[in-house]
Amino acid sequence: MRNIDEHNITDAVIARLCDSQDTRHKEVMTSLIRHLHGFVRDVRLTEREWEQSIRFLTATGQKCDDKRQEFILLSDVLGVSMLTVAMNQSWPEGATEATVFGPFHVEDAPRCDSGADIAHGAPGKPLDVDIEVVDLQGQPVVGAEVDTWQADEDGLYDVQRPELGETRRARGVFLTDAEGKVRFSSVLPTSYPVPTDGPVGELLLATGRHPWRPSHIHFRIRAPGFATLITHLFQEGDSYLDSDVVFGVRSSLIANFGHHGEDNQARHTLRHRFVLAHAPAPRSSTSE
Ligand code: BEZ
Ligand code: FE
């Protein structure tokens, strides 16, 4: 096709997908091209803005390494991560809601026995966590893997502290007991800003947005026959609950991290019952 202009170029690009063998890939690419061209037309993108966009995406890629994923952060602050979670991880009424995974999970967190103190010197006020995992009928889920990770009082995860090397702290993996329960001690987390020393930080600044996430603890709960739950518990009363930079807060995930005892002796306590949904039936190959 010749004589391409701003009116016929979208159909011309989509027509080039005609030999695409993978029907889902073709569907996704067709929509992507339509929306991308629609966006360029909508804002009447200038050539200077096109160059700036290319520079921004290049810098985003250059900021990525094996510890830092600036593209995921971009997806997070644009609400794309949470939109994808909301569409793909919506469980039946009564099951605990999911939220974003975030970049600070590690696969080699220490395996711990119930009752363990996972703080290992992380700064913060003491916190006792009491977790119960049940199914939609309220029956305990025995032997579920409860993987938890969190920031410390300085708003930092262990992996953000180069001085710790490979030392892991304020994270651990537990198995629920015969009553579906797990207990551990840790430190009270705090609200923290997502990393702002890269292009995503510049984008937040340029759009007048703050970079803060409300105080929370992450959980990934897995058990055979159940849908894997990836979620957080957010600290009630945090001032960023209504403006989380990655749009991850759900009211049902806000919990009381209340304290008892006098000021410097005070211990905080978090109790929560997680409800797992049964795993969706696998799609049969004949229905595709
Ligand atoms: C987190 O909660 O760990 C997180 C989520 C999204 C972006 C940055 C951090
Ligand atoms: Fe987090």
Side-chain angles (χ1 to χ4, degrees):
M1 190 179 181
R2 297 183 183 175
N3 304 321
I4 293 295
D5 61 28
E6 71 169 271
H7 304 291
N8 62 15
I9 189 163
T10 304
D11 287 339
V13 177
I14 289 169
R16 297 282 170 93
L17 303 175
C18 62
D19 292 332
S20 176
Q21 297 300 309
D22 181 331
T23 51
R24 173 63 180 162
H25 190 248
K26 187 174 179 181
E27 179 190 357
V28 170
M29 286 306 297
T30 302
S31 179
L32 175 70
I33 292 160
R34 278 207 197 289
H35 283 87
L36 199 54
H37 286 211
F39 155 73
V40 170
R41 283 193 191 91
D42 188 32
V43 300
R44 302 301 307 170
L45 194 74
T46 66
E47 286 177 289
R48 188 160 167 272
E49 289 163 343
W50 177 87
E51 269 172 40
Q52 284 172 333
S53 313
I54 298 293
R55 264 202 301 277
F56 174 81
L57 291 174
T58 304
T60 301
Q62 286 168 339
K63 198 74 190 170
C64 295
D65 59 28
D66 59 342
K67 292 214 163 53
R68 173 89 178 247
Q69 232 302 350
E70 194 78 357
F71 273 113
I72 294 185
L73 189 58
L74 180 60
S75 158
D76 293 339
V77 305
L78 294 180
V80 177
S81 307
M82 194 56 205
L83 172 60
T84 309
V85 168
M87 290 188 309
N88 289 280
Q89 300 183 43
S90 78
W91 314 129
E93 183 77 29
T96 302
E97 294 185 287
T99 188
V100 288
F101 194 44
F104 299 123
H105 178 262
V106 301
E107 287 299 338
D108 63 348
R111 306 220 143 238
C112 308
D113 291 328
S114 192
D117 182 353
I118 62 169
H120 296 303
K125 301 194 178 82
L127 170 71
D128 297 316
V129 183
D130 243 315
I131 295 303
E132 194 182 355
V133 183
V134 299
D135 66 15
L136 279 163
Q137 285 69 47
Q139 294 304 305
V141 180
V142 179
E145 181 198 81
V146 177
D147 189 340
T148 184
W149 65 105
Q150 63 165 98
D152 60 27
E153 178 176 69
D154 298 332
L156 292 173
Y157 288 79
D158 51 5
V159 291
Q160 294 177 290
R161 290 184 178 276
E163 73 275 15
L164 289 179
E166 299 301 304
T167 304
R168 304 292 182 218
R169 69 184 194 189
R171 65 174 78 239
V173 184
F174 297 83
L175 291 179
T176 54
D177 65 15
E179 295 179 306
K181 292 183 177 169
V182 160
R183 275 196 189 91
F184 61 92
S185 301
S186 187
V187 290
L188 194 64
T190 188
S191 43
Y192 63 83
V194 297
T196 53
D197 59 339
V200 173
E202 282 170 32
L203 179 69
L204 291 174
L205 198 64
T207 48
R209 291 176 57 184
H210 74 67
W212 290 84
R213 297 218 65 207
S215 173
H216 59 272
I217 300 183
H218 294 255
F219 293 91
R220 181 181 72 184
I221 306 184
R222 302 195 289 195
F226 292 91
T228 296
L229 173 65
I230 293 169
T231 196
H232 309 352
L233 292 178
F234 293 94
Q235 187 173 352
E236 193 177 88
D238 191 288
S239 45
Y240 295 109
L241 286 171
D242 288 311
S243 63
D244 180 9
V245 66
V246 304
F247 307 94
V249 179
R250 296 175 186 262
S251 304
S252 66
L253 302 177
I254 299 173
N256 188 281
F257 288 48
H259 64 93
H260 47 91
E262 289 308 311
D263 283 353
N264 52 5
Q265 299 292 317
R267 290 193 77 82
H268 289 254
T269 307
L270 167 63
R271 289 203 177 85
H272 198 78
R273 178 182 250 217
F274 291 99
V275 183
L276 298 189
H278 287 280
R283 277 199 286 166
S284 90
S285 52
T286 52
S287 67
E288 286 185 347

